[in-house]
Amino acid sequence: EFAEDGQTVVEFKVADENKVVFTDVTPNDWFFDTVYAARHAKYIFGVGNSNQFAPNTAITRADVCVILGRMAGVPTDPSNEGYESFLGGYKTPFSDVDSAQYYAKAIAWAAKAGIVTGYGDTGEFKPEQAITREEFATMLARYAEKVKGADISADADALDGYADEANVSDWAKGYVAWAVEAKAMGQNTDMLWAGNDITRAEAATMAVRYQPGK
C-alpha cells in the first residue's frame, strides 16, 4: 500500500525497527509499544540514559515527578540552560530532597504546581521511595487537573467489575476511578493492583495512555 511512495516506505520501516531501543524490552513484552511511545515522546529514558530500561523495577517518587514535568513540557532536567545559575541546585519545600540531585528541579516544579505534597509533619518527600499504582494514579490525576485543566471528577462506579476494587484505599478511589475512566489504568484486565508498587513499564504505559504526546 506504500509502493508508490518510496519515502513513506523508508520512514515506516525505520520507525518500526527503531522500536527496539532497549535491550531488556522485547516485542514479546506487553509493554513493548507503550514503553517505546513513552521514550519517543521523551517522557522517560533508559536507566542512567543507558540502553537498559529496567521495566519491572519499581519507579521512585522523584522519577515520577521527572516524567510529569516532561509531559508538561517544562525544563525539569538539570542539563537544561539555567541550572548553573542556581548555585546550590534547585530548592524544594522538602527537607530530604538534595537540591543538587537530577530530580530536584522536577520536584520543585511538581510541588509548586500542586501535584505533590510532603509526608505529614516531617516536611519530607521521600524521593527515593517506591510509589504505588494508586499513588501514581493520584499524581497523574493532579497533573491532569493542575496542568491540563481537566475535570477529574469521576464516578466510583467506574471501579465496579474489578475483582480487587475493595483494595483501593478510600482516599484514592476518586483518583483511581478517574484513571480508569481516562483509560490510563485498568485496561484489558479485571485487576487494579492499587496497592502494588508501580513499575517503570507500568508508569510509562499510564503516562502515554493519558497523553500520547506533547
Side-chain angles (χ1 to χ4, degrees):
E1 60 186 313
F2 301 104
E4 294 181 3
D5 184 352
Q7 187 63 36
T8 301
V9 172
V10 171
E11 290 180 352
F12 177 78
K13 288 182 178 177
V14 169
D16 193 54
E17 291 172 1
N18 282 347
K19 282 192 174 185
V20 183
V21 293
F22 300 112
T23 59
D24 53 355
V25 178
T26 70
N28 292 327
D29 293 319
W30 68 265
F31 46 75
F32 178 72
D33 287 328
T34 50
V35 165
Y36 169 77
R39 169 65 180 80
H40 184 69
K42 298 183 179 179
Y43 295 163
I44 189 168
F45 300 95
V47 178
N49 285 320
S50 71
N51 62 355
Q52 295 279 311
F53 187 73
N56 298 312
T57 299
I59 197 166
T60 65
R61 287 167 54 80
D63 282 342
V64 169
C65 291
V66 173
I67 290 175
L68 295 175
R70 288 171 178 160
M71 289 172 67
V74 299
T76 58
D77 295 334
S79 58
N80 277 288
E81 184 179 353
Y83 178 66
E84 292 178 350
S85 67
F86 291 79
L87 299 181
Y90 295 104
K91 303 299 182 185
T92 75
F94 311 114
S95 61
D96 61 339
V97 175
D98 183 346
S99 62
Q101 283 290 338
Y102 73 90
Y103 49 66
K105 188 175 183 182
I107 293 175
W109 164 79
K112 186 175 182 180
I115 295 170
V116 300
T117 57
Y119 279 91
D121 300 325
T122 65
E124 293 183 335
F125 182 71
K126 301 183 181 179
E128 303 290 348
Q129 181 170 291
I131 186 170
T132 65
R133 287 169 54 81
E134 64 185 9
E135 287 173 333
F136 184 88
T138 298
M139 290 170 71
L140 187 62
R142 287 176 179 162
Y143 164 80
E145 179 183 39
K146 306 290 187 182
V147 178
K148 308 300 285 186
D151 177 4
I152 63 169
S153 58
D155 194 330
D157 288 349
L159 304 182
D160 291 349
Y162 289 98
D164 60 346
E165 71 165 302
N167 295 337
V168 180
S169 299
D170 287 342
W171 61 264
K173 286 187 186 298
Y175 297 119
V176 173
W178 168 84
V180 168
E181 288 189 351
K183 299 189 184 307
M185 188 177 189
Q187 299 297 292
N188 307 312
T189 178
D190 66 348
M191 298 290 286
L192 293 166
W193 305 111
N196 286 23
D197 288 345
I198 194 168
T199 66
R200 285 170 51 82
E202 289 170 341
T205 297
M206 286 181 62
V208 294
R209 279 179 179 167
Y210 173 66
Q211 185 179 306
K214 295 191 186 83

